[in-house]
Amino acid sequence: MPTQVAPDCDIVVFGGTGDLAVRKLLPALYLRDNDGQLADGARIIAVSRAGLDTAGYRDKAAAEMRAFVPANAWNTAAVDRFTARLHHVTIDVLEHDGWHELTALLDAADGVRVFYLACAPSLFGPVCAGLQANGLTGERSRVVLEKPIGRDLASARRINDEVGAVFAEEQIFRIDHYLGKETVQNLVVLRFANALLEPLWNSGSIDHVQITVSEDIGVGGRVGYYDTSGALRDMVQNHLLQLLCLVAMEPPSRFEADAVRDEKLKVLQALRPLAGAEVHRDTVRGQYVAGLVDGKAVPGYAQELDGAASRTETFVALRAEVQNWRWAGVPFYLRTGKRLDRRASEIVVQFRPVPHSIFPGVGDEALAPNRLVLRLQPNEGMHLHLVTKEPGPGGVRLRGVPLNLSFADTFKSRTPDAYERLLMDVVRGDPTLFMRRDEVEAAWAWAEPILAAWKDSGTPPRRYSAGTSGPTAATTLIERDGRTWHDEEAI
Ligand code: BG6
């Protein structure tokens, strides 16, 4: 990765001892530091109520983050350099206590100030008010909001209002880490740096699109958060809709923040609203029960909740439509769930069949329509399924074969984690890969009636065994339209 040193900065992480900081933020910053991207004076200031001193935090951070850094990138000199950048400040945001220490630290530097709110959304407003009261919100300050931004439209607006009362929109970076994934950025490049696809990228040539984010993990230690959220709020309202936007958007005039975000917003606004009876027809929600994942027995969701009854969905499949000229009549099937049979995220663009077969005696099956599969993770890559002639005499026999591009084989480099890219974008002040307020609210406006219809129905989610591909109703949902889910074999 080319090294371009970022501007001098202080990155202040509220929730600095939490799970996100340990698993994602510190390892990402360590790796950027290792590549020489952090300026010499850059500091990372963890804020928490843990009452640690800086030396204690440095030891704790180094011990805890190690498990999340690739083993070949971990070396003593680099760890020592990185941990010397770490500081800890104890602040009780609700008690307005401890701010002077942070102010004193920050006043000693004059670089960019990034406030990363890796804490509960209910604290976003109070943290921002505290930053303002302590004079920390000037032009060189930026605030990063982790999801979830609200749990419905009203709460998202409230949070956006509270943060917006303190920071200007261009200072607010709403993270959707899917946008920082290499393969997701590559989707934009694939579409707009190649002349080949764009003329076909519409309802004339495309039959339907599938977006799958399948996880084999359960909710584990996050059950408290997850049970108030569920798969629609946790994954669909943000990650899956953002992927849909990138597939469906019109070409932006430039790869720049507002040009891209304007186009994504138009897609969200063009989504056909699902409400009432349509929700029951076009969505499926499920919850896992005990089963086997990779041959190992795993508990059901209710057991992870200590046996408490819950109607929270851990799986969603739905059929969406983008109502505009380009996409009229092209369904977008979205699917995500926990404790499924595999970890795999992919976008499948299914093209239409050839209009007429010139090959006598060749069945429809051999003339399989072209399919473009973008594998987001793991084994990042893409496949274009084409029909070819099987070599050999004895007439024309056709066979579908994939043209494969594996990023690992082609580029021979490590795929950086999304947070590495996104954190550096914040420091550089580039919001292209972040969500604007109107996008977040448009996504909630679409998701909210689905949640309401599920609640009103009074029925529980369908059960599916852990280690399967989800409830059978998800298969029926797509088969009803004469289509099937494409579960790519391991690549
Ligand atoms: C998070 C969700 O935003 O994304 C988690 O809250 C989910 O529930 C995670 O597991 C998936 O991210 P990734 O990068 O592992 O696909």
Side-chain angles (χ1 to χ4, degrees), residues 272-284 317-319 321 454 473 476-478 480-481:
R272 186 169 68 80
L274 287 178
E278 287 167 320
V279 173
H280 304 300
R281 191 194 59 201
D282 287 346
T283 73
V284 171
L318 58 84
R319 181 186 191 280
E321 278 176 42
W454 285 348
T476 317
L477 173 87
I478 191 165
R480 193 182 63 203
D481 293 347

PDB file of all heavy atoms in Angstrom, residues 272-284 317-319 321 454 473 476-478 480-481:
ATOM      1  N   ARG A 272     -39.254   0.953  -3.466  1.00  0.00           N
ATOM      2  CA  ARG A 272     -40.711   0.828  -3.315  1.00  0.00           C
ATOM      3  C   ARG A 272     -41.013   0.578  -1.838  1.00  0.00           C
ATOM      4  O   ARG A 272     -40.459  -0.341  -1.232  1.00  0.00           O
ATOM      5  CB  ARG A 272     -41.224  -0.349  -4.151  1.00  0.00           C
ATOM      6  CG  ARG A 272     -42.739  -0.464  -4.171  1.00  0.00           C
ATOM      7  CD  ARG A 272     -43.184  -1.459  -5.224  1.00  0.00           C
ATOM      8  NE  ARG A 272     -42.796  -2.813  -4.883  1.00  0.00           N
ATOM      9  CZ  ARG A 272     -43.449  -3.591  -4.013  1.00  0.00           C
ATOM     10  NH1 ARG A 272     -44.535  -3.162  -3.404  1.00  0.00           N
ATOM     11  NH2 ARG A 272     -43.028  -4.812  -3.763  1.00  0.00           N
ATOM     12  N   PRO A 273     -41.879   1.410  -1.240  1.00  0.00           N
ATOM     13  CA  PRO A 273     -42.154   1.203   0.182  1.00  0.00           C
ATOM     14  C   PRO A 273     -42.817  -0.145   0.404  1.00  0.00           C
ATOM     15  O   PRO A 273     -43.659  -0.563  -0.392  1.00  0.00           O
ATOM     16  CB  PRO A 273     -43.132   2.336   0.533  1.00  0.00           C
ATOM     17  CG  PRO A 273     -43.064   3.301  -0.599  1.00  0.00           C
ATOM     18  CD  PRO A 273     -42.619   2.542  -1.810  1.00  0.00           C
ATOM     19  N   LEU A 274     -42.407  -0.832   1.439  1.00  0.00           N
ATOM     20  CA  LEU A 274     -43.057  -2.092   1.826  1.00  0.00           C
ATOM     21  C   LEU A 274     -43.832  -1.807   3.103  1.00  0.00           C
ATOM     22  O   LEU A 274     -43.258  -1.329   4.072  1.00  0.00           O
ATOM     23  CB  LEU A 274     -42.006  -3.162   2.137  1.00  0.00           C
ATOM     24  CG  LEU A 274     -41.245  -3.776   0.976  1.00  0.00           C
ATOM     25  CD1 LEU A 274     -40.224  -4.777   1.491  1.00  0.00           C
ATOM     26  CD2 LEU A 274     -42.200  -4.459   0.006  1.00  0.00           C
ATOM     27  N   ALA A 275     -45.106  -2.060   3.077  1.00  0.00           N
ATOM     28  CA  ALA A 275     -45.896  -1.832   4.296  1.00  0.00           C
ATOM     29  C   ALA A 275     -47.034  -2.827   4.336  1.00  0.00           C
ATOM     30  O   ALA A 275     -47.424  -3.376   3.304  1.00  0.00           O
ATOM     31  CB  ALA A 275     -46.424  -0.389   4.317  1.00  0.00           C
ATOM     32  N   GLY A 276     -47.562  -3.042   5.531  1.00  0.00           N
ATOM     33  CA  GLY A 276     -48.739  -3.886   5.729  1.00  0.00           C
ATOM     34  C   GLY A 276     -48.590  -5.255   5.094  1.00  0.00           C
ATOM     35  O   GLY A 276     -47.599  -5.963   5.301  1.00  0.00           O
ATOM     36  N   ALA A 277     -49.582  -5.640   4.265  1.00  0.00           N
ATOM     37  CA  ALA A 277     -49.610  -7.001   3.706  1.00  0.00           C
ATOM     38  C   ALA A 277     -48.392  -7.279   2.829  1.00  0.00           C
ATOM     39  O   ALA A 277     -47.907  -8.413   2.759  1.00  0.00           O
ATOM     40  CB  ALA A 277     -50.888  -7.191   2.885  1.00  0.00           C
ATOM     41  N   GLU A 278     -47.871  -6.257   2.165  1.00  0.00           N
ATOM     42  CA  GLU A 278     -46.687  -6.475   1.306  1.00  0.00           C
ATOM     43  C   GLU A 278     -45.493  -6.953   2.123  1.00  0.00           C
ATOM     44  O   GLU A 278     -44.643  -7.690   1.624  1.00  0.00           O
ATOM     45  CB  GLU A 278     -46.285  -5.168   0.619  1.00  0.00           C
ATOM     46  CG  GLU A 278     -47.216  -4.766  -0.477  1.00  0.00           C
ATOM     47  CD  GLU A 278     -46.936  -3.336  -0.887  1.00  0.00           C
ATOM     48  OE1 GLU A 278     -46.680  -2.501   0.006  1.00  0.00           O
ATOM     49  OE2 GLU A 278     -46.968  -3.064  -2.075  1.00  0.00           O
ATOM     50  N   VAL A 279     -45.432  -6.496   3.363  1.00  0.00           N
ATOM     51  CA  VAL A 279     -44.316  -6.915   4.209  1.00  0.00           C
ATOM     52  C   VAL A 279     -44.381  -8.423   4.410  1.00  0.00           C
ATOM     53  O   VAL A 279     -43.369  -9.124   4.345  1.00  0.00           O
ATOM     54  CB  VAL A 279     -44.345  -6.171   5.565  1.00  0.00           C
ATOM     55  CG1 VAL A 279     -43.297  -6.727   6.516  1.00  0.00           C
ATOM     56  CG2 VAL A 279     -44.149  -4.684   5.345  1.00  0.00           C
ATOM     57  N   HIS A 280     -45.596  -8.934   4.624  1.00  0.00           N
ATOM     58  CA  HIS A 280     -45.711 -10.374   4.862  1.00  0.00           C
ATOM     59  C   HIS A 280     -45.435 -11.162   3.586  1.00  0.00           C
ATOM     60  O   HIS A 280     -44.936 -12.270   3.618  1.00  0.00           O
ATOM     61  CB  HIS A 280     -47.075 -10.690   5.469  1.00  0.00           C
ATOM     62  CG  HIS A 280     -47.269  -9.894   6.727  1.00  0.00           C
ATOM     63  ND1 HIS A 280     -46.414 -10.024   7.794  1.00  0.00           N
ATOM     64  CD2 HIS A 280     -48.127  -8.897   7.038  1.00  0.00           C
ATOM     65  CE1 HIS A 280     -46.760  -9.155   8.735  1.00  0.00           C
ATOM     66  NE2 HIS A 280     -47.794  -8.458   8.298  1.00  0.00           N
ATOM     67  N   ARG A 281     -45.723 -10.539   2.452  1.00  0.00           N
ATOM     68  CA  ARG A 281     -45.467 -11.238   1.194  1.00  0.00           C
ATOM     69  C   ARG A 281     -43.982 -11.182   0.822  1.00  0.00           C
ATOM     70  O   ARG A 281     -43.410 -12.149   0.329  1.00  0.00           O
ATOM     71  CB  ARG A 281     -46.305 -10.575   0.078  1.00  0.00           C
ATOM     72  CG  ARG A 281     -46.330 -11.372  -1.222  1.00  0.00           C
ATOM     73  CD  ARG A 281     -46.866 -10.531  -2.359  1.00  0.00           C
ATOM     74  NE  ARG A 281     -46.047  -9.344  -2.540  1.00  0.00           N
ATOM     75  CZ  ARG A 281     -46.452  -8.243  -3.162  1.00  0.00           C
ATOM     76  NH1 ARG A 281     -47.674  -8.155  -3.651  1.00  0.00           N
ATOM     77  NH2 ARG A 281     -45.644  -7.201  -3.313  1.00  0.00           N
ATOM     78  N   ASP A 282     -43.345 -10.042   1.047  1.00  0.00           N
ATOM     79  CA  ASP A 282     -42.004  -9.823   0.490  1.00  0.00           C
ATOM     80  C   ASP A 282     -40.856  -9.884   1.497  1.00  0.00           C
ATOM     81  O   ASP A 282     -39.712  -9.565   1.146  1.00  0.00           O
ATOM     82  CB  ASP A 282     -41.964  -8.465  -0.233  1.00  0.00           C
ATOM     83  CG  ASP A 282     -42.742  -8.532  -1.543  1.00  0.00           C
ATOM     84  OD1 ASP A 282     -43.053  -9.633  -2.001  1.00  0.00           O
ATOM     85  OD2 ASP A 282     -43.039  -7.454  -2.101  1.00  0.00           O
ATOM     86  N   THR A 283     -41.158 -10.230   2.738  1.00  0.00           N
ATOM     87  CA  THR A 283     -40.053 -10.368   3.706  1.00  0.00           C
ATOM     88  C   THR A 283     -40.207 -11.669   4.492  1.00  0.00           C
ATOM     89  O   THR A 283     -41.312 -12.167   4.664  1.00  0.00           O
ATOM     90  CB  THR A 283     -40.011  -9.210   4.739  1.00  0.00           C
ATOM     91  OG1 THR A 283     -41.094  -9.362   5.666  1.00  0.00           O
ATOM     92  CG2 THR A 283     -40.093  -7.844   4.099  1.00  0.00           C
ATOM     93  N   VAL A 284     -39.085 -12.164   4.957  1.00  0.00           N
ATOM     94  CA  VAL A 284     -39.075 -13.349   5.823  1.00  0.00           C
ATOM     95  C   VAL A 284     -38.131 -13.031   6.966  1.00  0.00           C
ATOM     96  O   VAL A 284     -37.039 -12.509   6.747  1.00  0.00           O
ATOM     97  CB  VAL A 284     -38.512 -14.577   5.061  1.00  0.00           C
ATOM     98  CG1 VAL A 284     -38.298 -15.747   6.014  1.00  0.00           C
ATOM     99  CG2 VAL A 284     -39.433 -14.967   3.927  1.00  0.00           C
ATOM    100  N   ALA A 317     -34.760 -12.072   4.997  1.00  0.00           N
ATOM    101  CA  ALA A 317     -34.651 -12.116   3.539  1.00  0.00           C
ATOM    102  C   ALA A 317     -35.787 -11.239   3.029  1.00  0.00           C
ATOM    103  O   ALA A 317     -36.887 -11.235   3.609  1.00  0.00           O
ATOM    104  CB  ALA A 317     -34.814 -13.542   3.020  1.00  0.00           C
ATOM    105  N   LEU A 318     -35.531 -10.474   1.989  1.00  0.00           N
ATOM    106  CA  LEU A 318     -36.613  -9.644   1.470  1.00  0.00           C
ATOM    107  C   LEU A 318     -36.412  -9.353  -0.006  1.00  0.00           C
ATOM    108  O   LEU A 318     -35.325  -9.516  -0.564  1.00  0.00           O
ATOM    109  CB  LEU A 318     -36.762  -8.353   2.284  1.00  0.00           C
ATOM    110  CG  LEU A 318     -35.597  -7.387   2.414  1.00  0.00           C
ATOM    111  CD1 LEU A 318     -35.533  -6.438   1.225  1.00  0.00           C
ATOM    112  CD2 LEU A 318     -35.769  -6.563   3.685  1.00  0.00           C
ATOM    113  N   ARG A 319     -37.512  -8.937  -0.590  1.00  0.00           N
ATOM    114  CA  ARG A 319     -37.512  -8.603  -2.014  1.00  0.00           C
ATOM    115  C   ARG A 319     -37.774  -7.109  -2.116  1.00  0.00           C
ATOM    116  O   ARG A 319     -38.814  -6.625  -1.663  1.00  0.00           O
ATOM    117  CB  ARG A 319     -38.649  -9.371  -2.679  1.00  0.00           C
ATOM    118  CG  ARG A 319     -38.803  -9.185  -4.150  1.00  0.00           C
ATOM    119  CD  ARG A 319     -40.088  -9.916  -4.572  1.00  0.00           C
ATOM    120  NE  ARG A 319     -40.200 -10.018  -6.018  1.00  0.00           N
ATOM    121  CZ  ARG A 319     -40.607  -9.042  -6.805  1.00  0.00           C
ATOM    122  NH1 ARG A 319     -40.933  -7.865  -6.295  1.00  0.00           N
ATOM    123  NH2 ARG A 319     -40.692  -9.238  -8.105  1.00  0.00           N
ATOM    124  N   GLU A 321     -37.552  -3.385  -4.521  1.00  0.00           N
ATOM    125  CA  GLU A 321     -37.570  -2.886  -5.908  1.00  0.00           C
ATOM    126  C   GLU A 321     -37.159  -1.431  -5.919  1.00  0.00           C
ATOM    127  O   GLU A 321     -37.542  -0.674  -5.025  1.00  0.00           O
ATOM    128  CB  GLU A 321     -38.981  -2.999  -6.491  1.00  0.00           C
ATOM    129  CG  GLU A 321     -39.306  -4.368  -7.008  1.00  0.00           C
ATOM    130  CD  GLU A 321     -40.752  -4.438  -7.490  1.00  0.00           C
ATOM    131  OE1 GLU A 321     -41.214  -3.480  -8.139  1.00  0.00           O
ATOM    132  OE2 GLU A 321     -41.400  -5.444  -7.172  1.00  0.00           O
ATOM    133  N   TRP A 454     -44.123  -6.154  11.178  1.00  0.00           N
ATOM    134  CA  TRP A 454     -43.731  -7.362  11.921  1.00  0.00           C
ATOM    135  C   TRP A 454     -44.300  -7.305  13.341  1.00  0.00           C
ATOM    136  O   TRP A 454     -44.819  -8.281  13.854  1.00  0.00           O
ATOM    137  CB  TRP A 454     -42.207  -7.471  12.007  1.00  0.00           C
ATOM    138  CG  TRP A 454     -41.545  -7.893  10.725  1.00  0.00           C
ATOM    139  CD1 TRP A 454     -42.145  -8.403   9.604  1.00  0.00           C
ATOM    140  CD2 TRP A 454     -40.145  -7.859  10.445  1.00  0.00           C
ATOM    141  NE1 TRP A 454     -41.201  -8.667   8.654  1.00  0.00           N
ATOM    142  CE2 TRP A 454     -39.957  -8.351   9.147  1.00  0.00           C
ATOM    143  CE3 TRP A 454     -39.027  -7.448  11.180  1.00  0.00           C
ATOM    144  CZ2 TRP A 454     -38.700  -8.442   8.547  1.00  0.00           C
ATOM    145  CZ3 TRP A 454     -37.772  -7.541  10.589  1.00  0.00           C
ATOM    146  CH2 TRP A 454     -37.614  -8.033   9.284  1.00  0.00           C
ATOM    147  N   ALA A 473     -38.734 -20.558   4.284  1.00  0.00           N
ATOM    148  CA  ALA A 473     -39.573 -19.507   3.665  1.00  0.00           C
ATOM    149  C   ALA A 473     -38.720 -18.553   2.824  1.00  0.00           C
ATOM    150  O   ALA A 473     -39.214 -17.921   1.887  1.00  0.00           O
ATOM    151  CB  ALA A 473     -40.330 -18.749   4.737  1.00  0.00           C
ATOM    152  N   THR A 476     -38.568 -20.076  -0.479  1.00  0.00           N
ATOM    153  CA  THR A 476     -39.860 -19.908  -1.150  1.00  0.00           C
ATOM    154  C   THR A 476     -40.012 -18.483  -1.685  1.00  0.00           C
ATOM    155  O   THR A 476     -40.547 -18.260  -2.763  1.00  0.00           O
ATOM    156  CB  THR A 476     -41.005 -20.197  -0.149  1.00  0.00           C
ATOM    157  OG1 THR A 476     -40.656 -21.360   0.590  1.00  0.00           O
ATOM    158  CG2 THR A 476     -42.330 -20.388  -0.841  1.00  0.00           C
ATOM    159  N   LEU A 477     -39.526 -17.529  -0.917  1.00  0.00           N
ATOM    160  CA  LEU A 477     -39.659 -16.109  -1.309  1.00  0.00           C
ATOM    161  C   LEU A 477     -39.110 -15.866  -2.713  1.00  0.00           C
ATOM    162  O   LEU A 477     -39.722 -15.192  -3.531  1.00  0.00           O
ATOM    163  CB  LEU A 477     -38.909 -15.228  -0.296  1.00  0.00           C
ATOM    164  CG  LEU A 477     -38.783 -13.746  -0.619  1.00  0.00           C
ATOM    165  CD1 LEU A 477     -39.999 -12.984  -0.100  1.00  0.00           C
ATOM    166  CD2 LEU A 477     -37.529 -13.137  -0.016  1.00  0.00           C
ATOM    167  N   ILE A 478     -37.964 -16.448  -3.008  1.00  0.00           N
ATOM    168  CA  ILE A 478     -37.345 -16.209  -4.317  1.00  0.00           C
ATOM    169  C   ILE A 478     -37.871 -17.214  -5.350  1.00  0.00           C
ATOM    170  O   ILE A 478     -38.074 -16.865  -6.519  1.00  0.00           O
ATOM    171  CB  ILE A 478     -35.793 -16.208  -4.197  1.00  0.00           C
ATOM    172  CG1 ILE A 478     -35.156 -15.686  -5.485  1.00  0.00           C
ATOM    173  CG2 ILE A 478     -35.230 -17.550  -3.821  1.00  0.00           C
ATOM    174  CD1 ILE A 478     -33.684 -15.310  -5.334  1.00  0.00           C
ATOM    175  N   ARG A 480     -40.766 -18.372  -5.601  1.00  0.00           N
ATOM    176  CA  ARG A 480     -42.088 -17.898  -6.033  1.00  0.00           C
ATOM    177  C   ARG A 480     -41.966 -17.089  -7.336  1.00  0.00           C
ATOM    178  O   ARG A 480     -42.850 -17.065  -8.167  1.00  0.00           O
ATOM    179  CB  ARG A 480     -42.628 -17.006  -4.907  1.00  0.00           C
ATOM    180  CG  ARG A 480     -44.060 -16.661  -4.972  1.00  0.00           C
ATOM    181  CD  ARG A 480     -44.389 -15.737  -3.811  1.00  0.00           C
ATOM    182  NE  ARG A 480     -43.664 -14.475  -3.912  1.00  0.00           N
ATOM    183  CZ  ARG A 480     -43.393 -13.664  -2.893  1.00  0.00           C
ATOM    184  NH1 ARG A 480     -43.759 -13.991  -1.682  1.00  0.00           N
ATOM    185  NH2 ARG A 480     -42.747 -12.541  -3.078  1.00  0.00           N
ATOM    186  N   ASP A 481     -40.838 -16.399  -7.487  1.00  0.00           N
ATOM    187  CA  ASP A 481     -40.610 -15.590  -8.693  1.00  0.00           C
ATOM    188  C   ASP A 481     -39.905 -16.394  -9.780  1.00  0.00           C
ATOM    189  O   ASP A 481     -39.416 -15.816 -10.764  1.00  0.00           O
ATOM    190  CB  ASP A 481     -39.721 -14.380  -8.362  1.00  0.00           C
ATOM    191  CG  ASP A 481     -40.427 -13.392  -7.442  1.00  0.00           C
ATOM    192  OD1 ASP A 481     -41.661 -13.515  -7.263  1.00  0.00           O
ATOM    193  OD2 ASP A 481     -39.737 -12.488  -6.918  1.00  0.00           O
TER     194      ASP A 481
END
